[in-house]
């Protein structure tokens, strides 16, 4: 995996993350005379490294800007790039200010058709609250652009008090992404002590992606009691044919142990 570039804040483009693709494969073959022969083979059809121009738009409302550190992960039908910190804006000295567009350039192995991003901040500094309007991403290699609308707060104090958002692509015509509401039924077993006081989370996986980790909660209700059935409605983009679910809890409360009879979706 050749690199030949700096991973340094003070060198090259200032990035400390590089994605590398293989150029050669070396294998050893045992010969009849007992010696090992090394065979070098050039990798064919290796993935390309693409350049992504990322434009982040902060809303033009009171208190919209943030001083916190912002992190982004981009997902495409060929994989994701891993979480990256949006460190140095190419357009502004003070990034993520009210009504401002900040541009960043990131290189990653070809992600294919982009369909979602995860963006968050670390709630640090004096004014961490952030109203994010949208994120636009241009794949400079293919000249395809993708738009991810947010128009929500990332804040521990406002709205739903979340500082991470999963945003889905809005306008790309090559992919049909339709919002779907999934009825999710969780049945707790009848055995003694089967219920749980812990916070419960679910992730649904399908051919077109996953729902992300979702909390299963309802206001003013005791959930996941012994022998009870609880019903939830999770809205996400169409995940296609469902392949699996992951159900978990955070081991909190006085009686976290839980006997799950089944999950229906």
């Amino acid at each position: 995996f050749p690199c030949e570039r700096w991973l340094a804040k003070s060198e090259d483009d200032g990035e400390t993350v590089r994605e590398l693709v293989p150029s050669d494969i070396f294998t050893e073959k045992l010969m009849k005379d007992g010696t090992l022969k090394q065979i070098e083979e050039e990798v064919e059809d290796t993935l390309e490294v693409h350049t992504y121009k990322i434009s982040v738009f902060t809303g033009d409302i009171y208190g919209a800007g943030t001083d916190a550190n912002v992190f982004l992960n981009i997902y495409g039908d060929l994989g994701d790039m891993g979480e990256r910190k949006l460190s140095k804006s190419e357009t502004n000295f003070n990034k993520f200010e009210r009504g401002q567009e900040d541009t960043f350039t990131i290189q990653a192995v070809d992600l294919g058709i982009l369909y979602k991003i995860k963006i968050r901040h670390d709630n640090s500094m004096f004014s961490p609250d952030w109203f994010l309007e949208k994120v636009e991403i241009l794949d400079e290699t293919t000249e395809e652009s993708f738009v991810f609308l947010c128009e929500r707060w990332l804040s521990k104090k406002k709205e739903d008090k979340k500082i991470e958002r999963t945003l889905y692509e809005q306008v790309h015509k090559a992919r049909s992404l339709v919002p779907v509401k999934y009825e999710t039924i969780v049945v707790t077993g009848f055995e003694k002590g089967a219920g749980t006081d812990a916070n419960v989370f679910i992730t649904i996986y399908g051919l077109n992606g996953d729902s992300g980790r979702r909390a299963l909660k309802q206001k003013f209700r005791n959930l996941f009691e012994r022998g009870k059935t609880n019903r939830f409605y999770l809205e996400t983009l169409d995940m296609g044919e469902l392949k699996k679910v992951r159900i978990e809890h955070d081991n909190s409360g006085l009686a976290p142990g839980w006997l799950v009879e089944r999950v229906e979706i």
Side-chain angles (χ1 to χ4, degrees):
F1 296 82
C3 183
E4 298 179 347
R5 295 190 67 180
W6 284 96
L7 283 75
K9 292 288 187 183
S10 58
E11 301 286 350
D12 203 337
D13 58 0
E15 287 292 325
T16 57
V17 177
R18 301 284 177 208
E19 289 198 343
L20 310 178
V21 294
S23 61
D24 299 281
I25 298 175
F26 294 88
T27 57
E28 289 185 337
K29 183 177 181 180
L30 182 64
M31 308 304 291
K32 290 182 178 180
D33 60 3
T35 61
L36 287 174
K37 181 181 179 181
Q38 189 175 74
I39 301 172
E40 180 181 354
E41 183 180 354
E42 188 174 340
V43 176
E44 297 181 3
D45 299 324
T46 185
L47 289 173
E48 296 179 342
V49 174
H50 284 207
T51 299
Y52 295 93
K53 186 73 71 173
I54 300 159
S55 298
V56 180
F57 295 81
T58 298
D60 190 12
I61 63 175
Y62 179 76
T66 185
D67 298 326
N69 298 304
V70 174
F71 302 85
L72 174 71
N73 194 1
I74 304 173
Y75 296 78
D77 57 5
L78 297 180
D80 70 275
M81 71 173 188
E83 187 177 77
R84 309 282 188 96
K85 181 180 179 182
L86 300 180
S87 299
K88 187 176 181 181
S89 172
E90 299 171 7
T91 48
N92 300 285
F93 179 75
N94 289 324
K95 56 186 182 290
F96 310 127
E97 294 294 307
R98 173 180 174 176
Q100 189 167 283
E101 175 186 352
D102 291 286
T103 302
F104 306 85
T105 299
I106 290 178
Q107 288 189 328
V109 172
D110 182 13
L111 301 171
I113 302 299
L114 308 187
Y115 68 93
K116 78 174 180 180
I117 63 172
K118 286 186 178 180
I119 190 163
R120 70 174 181 91
H121 66 71
D122 61 2
N123 206 46
S124 63
M125 307 299 288
F126 183 72
S127 300
D129 300 344
W130 187 31
F131 189 88
L132 173 62
E133 182 179 324
K134 64 179 177 179
V135 177
E136 296 182 359
I137 301 176
L138 171 65
D139 183 340
E140 292 189 332
T141 307
T142 63
E143 298 185 346
E144 291 181 285
S145 60
F146 306 83
V147 179
F148 302 85
L149 293 179
C150 182
E151 298 178 339
R152 298 185 70 179
W153 285 97
L154 283 76
S155 169
K156 289 282 191 180
K157 302 174 183 176
K158 300 179 180 181
E159 209 174 317
D160 58 0
K161 299 179 175 57
K162 292 183 178 180
I163 58 173
E164 178 178 304
R165 298 284 177 202
T166 299
L167 310 177
Y168 291 90
E169 204 274 332
Q170 297 292 310
V171 298
H172 199 273
K173 296 179 181 179
R175 186 181 179 95
S176 177
L177 296 174
V178 180
V180 173
K181 186 174 287 187
Y182 289 89
E183 182 182 33
T184 304
I185 299 170
V186 181
V187 181
T188 299
F190 281 87
E191 292 185 20
K192 183 179 179 180
T196 184
D197 298 329
N199 298 306
V200 173
F201 305 86
I202 194 170
T203 308
I204 306 171
Y205 297 84
L207 284 177
N208 295 338
D210 64 79
S211 65
R213 186 173 183 258
R214 302 289 190 93
L216 296 181
K217 56 185 179 181
Q218 296 173 354
K219 288 185 177 180
F220 314 118
R221 290 198 62 185
N222 289 325
L223 301 175
F224 314 116
E225 296 293 309
R226 173 186 175 188
K228 296 296 184 180
T229 297
N230 297 113
R231 194 180 307 265
F232 308 88
Y233 294 92
L234 306 179
E235 186 168 308
T236 182
L237 295 184
D238 184 7
M239 294 178 286
E241 182 182 349
L242 301 186
K243 291 299 183 181
K244 70 175 182 179
V245 298
R246 175 185 292 158
I247 190 88
E248 58 186 294
H249 66 68
D250 61 3
N251 207 42
S252 62
L254 296 176
W258 185 30
L259 176 62
V260 182
E261 184 173 311
R262 68 181 185 276
V263 177
E264 300 177 10
I265 298 177

